């Protein structure tokens, strides 16, 4: 177990949120609120998924070109001191309900900042056998992606319009020359300040008949081959390999090329936006969450 100095934990499913506060010397300050202890496996590295293949007529085995990491189990203990038995039981019921049917986001706040993971709640086990106002539970979570990420609400979207030319200089000109501005490269630069690779998310704001996203450094392409009317938004999640239009319709079948790129740790990537048959002022927004192991 890698030690952590977490000061707060929260579990959120997008509609409800439960906050667990760090241990206090005086437990009476936490009456009516959850307290956590023994956060396990939040930091550190998970095992490799590689299974060795021996060399038939030589020492050792074959060396892998890349390494893939296993998922992660996260757990912590929690206490609740209620003003009554009824309040304590209601708190346990609320904790048992969050994440019962869908994944939740766990956010852990430490002195250097907060990071998150998407997890499923494996179990919430009350450890007290007696009915009383003081309750202790064990919370077991499972993160399919072992990385932890920056808090999404803290990361801004980078925005660009379609590529456009700047204004030219009219000759003859009078010195000193003042070159006109304007124009757009049609690119966004996404920076991953963490130590683990992270997959970007893009938003395509209509209108256009189709669009192409190209990673400048690698040449990787993601195309969207369906008209998007002015005012509609298509969000492409490269980690999930999925596209959603206007927050409700799955339009992943219209993704073309699917040459998915990640932003390596401590690096940046630039992405070019090229809409076809633009209507109005189509734009592309991009964001990558810094990631750590």
């Amino acid at each position: 177990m890698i030690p952590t100095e977490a000061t707060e934990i929260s579990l959120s499913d997008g509609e409800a949120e439960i906050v667990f506060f760090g241990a206090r010397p005086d437990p009476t300050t936490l009456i009516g609120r959850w307290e956590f202890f023994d956060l396990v496996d939040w930091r550190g590295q998970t095992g490799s998924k590689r299974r060795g293949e021996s060399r038939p007529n030589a020492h050792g085995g074959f060396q892998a070109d890349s390494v893939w990491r296993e998922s992660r189990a996260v757990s912590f203990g929690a206490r609740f001191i209620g003003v009554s038995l009824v309040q304590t039981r209601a708190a346990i019921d609320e904790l048992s309900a969050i994440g019962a049917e869908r994944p939740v986001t766990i956010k852990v706040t430490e002195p250097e900042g907060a990071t998150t993971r998407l997890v499923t709640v494996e179990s919430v086990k009350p450890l007290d056998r007696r009915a009383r106002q003081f309750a202790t539970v064990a919370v077991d979570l499972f993160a399919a992606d072992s990385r932890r990420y920056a808090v999404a609400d803290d990361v801004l979207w980078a925005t660009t319009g379609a590529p456009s030319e700047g204004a030219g200089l009219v000759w003859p000109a009078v010195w000193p020359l003042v070159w006109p501005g304007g124009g757009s490269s049609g690119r966004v630069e996404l920076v991953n300040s963490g130590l683990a690779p992270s997959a970007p998310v893009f938003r395509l704001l209509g209108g256009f008949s189709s669009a192409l996203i190209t990673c400048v450094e690698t040449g990787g392409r993601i195309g969207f081959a369906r008209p998007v009317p002015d005012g509609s938004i298509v969000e492409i999640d490269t980690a999930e390999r999925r596209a959603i239009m206007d927050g409700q319709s799955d339009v992943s079948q219209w993704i073309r090329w699917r040459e998915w790129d990640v932003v390596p740790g401590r690096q940046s990537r630039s992405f070019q936006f090229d809409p076809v048959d633009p209507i109005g002022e189509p734009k592309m927004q991009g964001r990558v969450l810094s990631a750590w192991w």
Side-chain angles (χ1 to χ4, degrees):
M1 179 179 69
I2 303 298
T4 177
E5 297 180 355
T7 59
E8 185 177 295
I9 296 174
S10 69
L11 295 177
S12 172
D13 62 3
E15 296 180 358
E17 181 181 38
I18 297 178
V19 178
F20 306 82
F21 298 91
R24 305 288 180 88
D26 182 4
T28 60
T29 61
L30 288 169
I31 291 178
R33 299 192 297 177
W34 282 104
E35 172 193 33
F36 77 88
F37 60 94
D38 290 344
L39 175 62
V40 177
D41 204 21
W42 185 251
R43 290 180 175 271
Q45 184 57 276
T46 59
S48 167
K49 295 169 69 174
R50 172 173 167 75
R51 298 296 178 262
E53 182 179 354
S54 298
R55 293 181 181 272
N57 296 306
H59 299 293
F62 293 98
Q63 180 62 51
D65 294 329
S66 59
V67 178
W68 303 102
R69 292 293 165 185
E70 294 180 340
S71 302
R72 180 186 298 269
V74 179
S75 64
F76 63 91
R79 302 186 186 96
F80 188 90
I81 304 176
V83 297
S84 67
L85 177 60
V86 172
Q87 184 187 37
T88 300
R89 284 178 169 171
I92 295 176
D93 287 344
E94 182 182 15
L95 178 57
S96 300
I98 194 166
E101 297 182 295
R102 55 183 170 177
V104 299
T105 298
I106 177 175
K107 180 174 72 172
V108 174
T109 303
E110 300 175 280
E112 62 272 26
T115 51
T116 67
R117 283 188 172 97
L118 186 66
V119 298
T120 55
V121 179
E122 297 299 298
S123 65
V124 175
K125 298 178 181 177
L127 303 179
D128 298 299
R129 296 174 180 266
R130 295 173 292 177
R132 56 181 181 175
Q133 295 170 227
F134 178 86
T136 304
V137 300
V139 181
D140 294 320
L141 311 170
F142 178 80
D145 181 354
S146 66
R147 289 165 290 187
R148 53 192 174 90
Y149 294 90
V151 179
D153 291 342
D154 296 340
V155 181
L156 300 177
W157 292 86
T159 303
T160 184
S164 62
E165 297 179 351
L169 185 65
V170 179
W171 296 89
V174 178
W175 294 87
L177 297 179
V178 178
W179 292 92
S184 169
S185 65
R187 297 179 180 180
V188 295
E189 182 182 18
L190 306 183
V191 180
N192 177 6
S193 59
L195 299 174
S198 185
V201 177
F202 300 99
R203 288 176 177 170
L204 304 180
L205 286 65
F208 50 79
S209 61
S210 64
L212 179 66
I213 304 170
T214 306
C215 180
V216 176
E217 289 80 5
T218 68
R221 300 166 299 169
I222 303 172
F224 189 74
R226 170 179 166 167
V228 176
D230 189 12
S232 288
I233 300 175
V234 173
E235 182 166 300
I236 300 176
D237 188 329
T238 65
E240 298 294 331
R241 274 59 165 169
R242 189 179 184 188
I244 301 294
M245 179 177 283
D246 295 331
Q248 55 185 2
S249 301
D250 191 323
V251 289
S252 305
Q253 62 180 317
W254 302 102
I255 300 177
R256 298 294 182 263
W257 291 292
R258 298 173 179 263
E259 297 169 352
W260 312 106
D261 278 287
V262 298
V263 182
R266 288 182 174 172
Q267 295 187 37
S268 64
R269 288 288 185 267
S270 296
F271 294 90
Q272 176 79 41
F273 173 53
D274 292 299
V276 178
D277 300 327
I279 301 173
E281 297 183 357
K283 291 181 171 57
M284 178 182 75
Q285 295 179 329
R287 182 174 73 174
V288 67
L289 304 181
S290 296
W292 295 265
W293 298 111

